[in-house]
C-alpha cells in the first residue's frame, strides 16, 4: 500500500487488522540485527525488532536517525540551555538552508500545521493565543480553504485550532468561497495531482485576495530541492516531517515560512503554556537532532544514494524474479515517499498475501513489508547496509517454498 492510498483512508485492504494490533507479536525477540549497546532492551521487554522493508510509517516507528543525529543528541544531552535561545539560533540556520524567512523545530509535521494555522489566526496577540480553539466572538478569522482532493484525516491538524475547513474544487469555487472570514488557503502536496488547482495557481489566488497560503510536504523529500521549492514559490508556510526521509528524530518536524507567522506560531509553543500547543513539546534533543539531520541531508550525495537504493532494490528484485510465477516491477511514486519501490505479485490463490507477510514477520530476523491489493511493496531506503541481502534471501525462500 502506498502512503497516498493510506492517507485517502484505503486501509480496508486485506490487512487493516494487520496494520493495527496483530503486528505486535511479542515473539522471542531477537534484535541481533546490529544493536551495539550491551543492554538489549528489545529482548528485555519482549518487543519485536524488525528489518523495515516497508518504508517510513509511524506505526513502524518511522525511520532510523542518522549517526550524525544521534551524535548531535549525545553531544548535547549533558547540558542545559534556554529553549527559546536554542530555537532562535537553530531556526535562523534552518531558515537559511530552506530559503525561508524563519523556521522552528516542531513535534512533527502535524504539529507544525496546527502551530502554523494558530499563528496565522492570532498573530502576535497573546490574548487571542489564549482563546484558541475558541474563535467565536474573538474577531479572529475562522475559515481555511482546502481542495476536495486534499481532504484527508490529517487535516485534523488544521481544525485543532478551532478553524473550519471550506472545501473547494475549482478556481471559481475559490473565488466564491473567499470572504472576510477566510484565514488561510491550505494545500496538500501528496495529493497535488488529484486536485484541480496546482501549486502556483493556489499561491497566485492567495496573493490576489491577500490570503496566506500553506503547504504540507510531510513525506515529500527526496528530491532535496523540495525543502526550498515551496518557500521560493511563495507559500507563507511550509511543513515537513523530520522523521521520514530526513532521518531526524521521529518526533520532530519543521515549520518554515514568513517571519510573522513563525514568530506568532512560537507563542503557541512551549515553553509558553497558555496555548493549544503546550503538549507539542520538543526539547533540545529534537532541536539539535533536527538541525544535524537537515544539515546532513542537504549536504550529502543524493545521486549516489539513489544509485544505492536502485542497486539494493535490484538485489531483492532479482532474488524474487528467480522464482517462477513471481512478477516484479520497480516504480517510483510520483508524490510522497519518492523512492524506488519494488512491487511483487504472484498467484494469490496459491499464496495469500497475508501468509507471505506473516512468514516474513515470523522469520528470523523479522521483516516487515507493505501489502497492496495484488501483492507486496518493498522499499530499501530505511534499511541498514546489508539488510537488503537478508530481505532478498528471505523473500526468495518463502516464494520458492510455494512456487519453486
Ligand atoms: C506523515 C505525514 C504527516 C504527519 O507528519 P508527522 O511528522 O508524523 O507529524 C502529515 N501529512 C502527511 C501528508 C504525511 O505524510
Amino acid at each position: 500500500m502506498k502512503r497516498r492510498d493510506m492517507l485517502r483512508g484505503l486501509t480496508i485492504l486485506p490487512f487493516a487488522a494487520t496494520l493495527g494490533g496483530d503486528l505486535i507479536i511479542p515473539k522471542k525477540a531477537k534484535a541481533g540485527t546490529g544493536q551495539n549497546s550491551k543492554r538489549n532492551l528489545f529482548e528485555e521487554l519482549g518487543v519485536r525488532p524488525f528489518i523495515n522493508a516497508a518504508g517510513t510509517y509511524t506505526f513502524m516507528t518511522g525511520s532510523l536517525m542518522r549517526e550524525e543525529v544521534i551524535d548531535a543528541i549525545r553531544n548535547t544531552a549533558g547540558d542545559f540551555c534556554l529553549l527559546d535561545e536554542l530555537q532562535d539560533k537553530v531556526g535562523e540556520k534552518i531558515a537559511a538552508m530552506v530559503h525561508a524567512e524563519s523556521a522552528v523545530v516542531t513535534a512533527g509535521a502535524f504539529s507544525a500545521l496546527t502551530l502554523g494555522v494558530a499563528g496565522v489566526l492570532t498573530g502576535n496577540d497573546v490574548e487571542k493565543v489564549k482563546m484558541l480553539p475558541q474563535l467565536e466572538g474573538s474577531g479572529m478569522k475562522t475559515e481555511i480553504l482546502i481542495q476536495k482532493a486534499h481532504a484527508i484525516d490529517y487535516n485534523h491538524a488544521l481544525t485543532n485550532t478551532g478553524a473550519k475547513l471550506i472545501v473547494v474544487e475549482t478556481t471559481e469555487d475559490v473565488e466564491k468561497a473567499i470572504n472576510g472570514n477566510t484565514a488561510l488557503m491550505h494545500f496538500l502536496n501528496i495529493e497535488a495531482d488529484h486536485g484541480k488547482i496546482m501549486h502556483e495557481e493556489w499561491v497566485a489566488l492567495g496573493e490576489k485576495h491577500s490570503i496566506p497560503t500553506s503547504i504540507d510536504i510531510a513525506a515529500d523529500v527526496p528530491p532535496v530541492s523540495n525543502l526550498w521549492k515551496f518557500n521560493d514559490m511563495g507559500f507563507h508556510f511550509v511543513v515537513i516531517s523530520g522523521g521520514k526521509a530526513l532521518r531526524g528524530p521521529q518526533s520532530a518536524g519543521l515549520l518554515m515560512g514568513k517571519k510573522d507567522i513563525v514568530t506568532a506560531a512560537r507563542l503557541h509553543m512551549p515553553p509558553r503554556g497558555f496555548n493549544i500547543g503546550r503538549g507539542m513539546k520538543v526539547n533540545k534533543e529534537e532541536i539539535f537532532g533536527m538541525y544535524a539531520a537537515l544539515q546532513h541531508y542537504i549536504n550529502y550525495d543524493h545521486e549516489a544514494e539513489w544509485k544505492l537504493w536502485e542497486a539494493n532494490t535490484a538485489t531483492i528484485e532479482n532474488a524474487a524474479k528467480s522464482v517462477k510465477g513471481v512478477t516484479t516491477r520497480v516504480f517510483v511514486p510520483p508524490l510522497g515517499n519518492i523512492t524506488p519501490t519494488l512491487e511483487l505479485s504472484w498467484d494469490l490463490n496459491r499464496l495469500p498475501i497475508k501468509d507471505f507477510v506473516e512468514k516474513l514477520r515470523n522469520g528470523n530476523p523479522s521483516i516487515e513489508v507493505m501489502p497492496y491489493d495484488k501483492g507486496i511493496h518493498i522499499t530499501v531506503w530505511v534499511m541498514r547496509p546489508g539488510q537488503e541481502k537478508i530481505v532478498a534471501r528471505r523473500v526468495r525462500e518463502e516464494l520458492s517454498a510455494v512456487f519453486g
Side-chain angles (χ1 to χ4, degrees):
M1 187 165 29
K2 284 168 247 157
R3 170 165 298 276
R4 278 147 61 87
D5 297 335
M6 190 177 277
L7 293 181
R8 263 179 262 128
L10 303 181
T11 38
I12 0 79
L13 295 175
F15 295 89
T18 310
L19 294 177
D22 291 6
L23 200 77
I24 300 140
I25 306 167
K27 286 192 74 235
K28 185 133 181 43
K30 178 102 180 76
T33 41
Q35 309 308 314
N36 45 22
S37 152
K38 278 168 226 108
R39 187 172 175 190
N40 188 337
L41 283 162
F42 284 109
E43 204 161 276
E44 231 176 278
L45 294 169
V47 172
R48 176 178 59 96
F50 55 81
I51 294 177
N52 181 352
T56 57
Y57 295 97
T58 294
F59 76 98
M60 294 188 188
T61 62
S63 63
L64 297 181
M65 289 186 283
R66 295 231 181 239
E67 276 308 317
E68 288 75 5
V69 176
I70 296 169
D71 274 352
I73 293 172
R74 200 180 278 125
N75 293 338
T76 55
D79 287 297
F80 291 92
C81 63
L82 293 176
L83 187 55
D84 273 334
E85 181 189 0
L86 178 60
Q87 286 281 32
D88 286 346
K89 300 266 162 69
V90 163
E92 212 171 287
K93 293 281 187 201
I94 289 179
M97 288 191 253
V98 300
H99 308 185
E101 287 176 15
S102 190
V104 65
V105 177
T106 63
F110 192 100
S111 82
L113 279 176
T114 301
L115 295 166
V117 174
V120 166
L121 295 176
T122 64
N124 288 327
D125 185 334
V126 170
E127 289 315 308
K128 286 181 176 165
V129 172
K130 290 178 181 173
M131 280 178 210
L132 257 52
Q134 189 58 50
L135 297 178
E136 216 171 295
S138 69
M140 284 183 265
K141 294 178 178 176
T142 53
E143 297 179 357
I144 300 174
L145 302 194
I146 56 159
Q147 295 185 65
K148 192 174 172 197
H150 299 197
I152 58 165
D153 285 348
Y154 285 166
N155 286 337
H156 216 112
L158 310 170
T159 54
N160 274 350
T161 58
K164 340 187 257 276
L165 302 181
I166 307 295
V167 178
V168 293
E169 268 193 281
T170 63
T171 311
E172 296 71 55
D173 291 349
V174 173
E175 300 274 5
K176 257 191 272 169
I178 289 177
N179 65 61
N181 267 327
T182 311
L184 180 71
M185 293 172 55
H186 181 65
F187 195 96
L188 175 64
N189 193 56
I190 202 169
E191 294 291 358
D193 56 345
H194 291 123
K196 293 200 161 76
I197 307 173
M198 291 301 280
H199 311 81
E200 286 89 348
E201 190 187 355
W202 195 252
V203 171
L205 279 165
E207 269 162 19
K208 179 175 162 195
H209 296 278
S210 303
I211 309 286
T213 47
S214 57
I215 185 167
D216 173 353
I217 61 162
D220 292 309
V221 291
V224 59
S225 56
N226 274 357
L227 282 171
W228 45 82
K229 177 176 174 180
F230 303 101
N231 289 310
D232 288 344
M233 203 181 273
F235 280 95
H236 291 239
F237 75 80
V238 181
V239 308
I240 191 164
S241 290
K244 290 173 183 164
L246 290 177
R247 293 181 54 183
Q250 165 64 8
S251 50
L254 293 178
L255 168 65
M256 41 198 171
K258 302 293 178 204
K259 194 169 185 73
D260 55 339
I261 295 178
V262 176
T263 303
R266 285 185 56 186
L267 291 176
H268 295 267
M269 295 180 71
R272 288 151 291 280
F274 46 75
N275 48 36
I276 58 168
R278 177 58 179 81
M280 305 174 191
K281 182 155 74 177
V282 282
N283 199 29
K284 66 176 189 296
E285 291 75 16
E286 286 89 5
I287 301 169
F288 279 120
M290 201 58 233
Y291 170 63
L294 200 66
Q295 199 177 38
H296 179 73
Y297 188 76
I298 288 175
N299 290 316
Y300 80 57
D301 187 342
H302 293 271
E303 260 176 58
E305 174 155 83
W306 189 272
K307 287 204 179 103
L308 184 68
W309 287 343
E310 283 182 331
N312 291 351
T313 306
T315 300
I316 303 169
E317 182 179 29
N318 291 333
K321 230 169 30 183
S322 71
V323 182
K324 247 199 100 178
V326 176
T327 37
T328 68
R329 154 177 108 97
V330 177
F331 68 96
V332 178
L335 286 163
N337 294 344
I338 300 178
T339 188
T341 304
L342 172 62
E343 185 165 293
L344 303 182
S345 50
W346 56 80
D347 180 354
L348 299 182
N349 294 317
R350 292 181 61 195
L351 177 59
I353 300 169
K354 195 168 189 294
D355 292 2
F356 181 76
V357 168
E358 279 174 7
K359 292 243 168 70
L360 291 184
R361 180 175 297 153
N362 296 330
N364 185 9
S366 180
I367 297 168
E368 287 292 336
V369 293
M370 189 49 68
Y372 77 105
D373 57 349
K374 295 196 182 76
I376 59 153
H377 287 147
I378 287 179
T379 64
V380 300
W381 65 337
V382 291
M383 286 182 199
R384 288 193 281 109
Q387 290 185 331
E388 76 285 353
K389 293 198 188 70
I390 301 173
V391 174
R393 173 174 59 76
R394 289 290 300 127
V395 162
R396 184 173 45 216
E397 268 170 20
E398 293 304 339
L399 290 172
S400 51
V402 176
F403 299 105

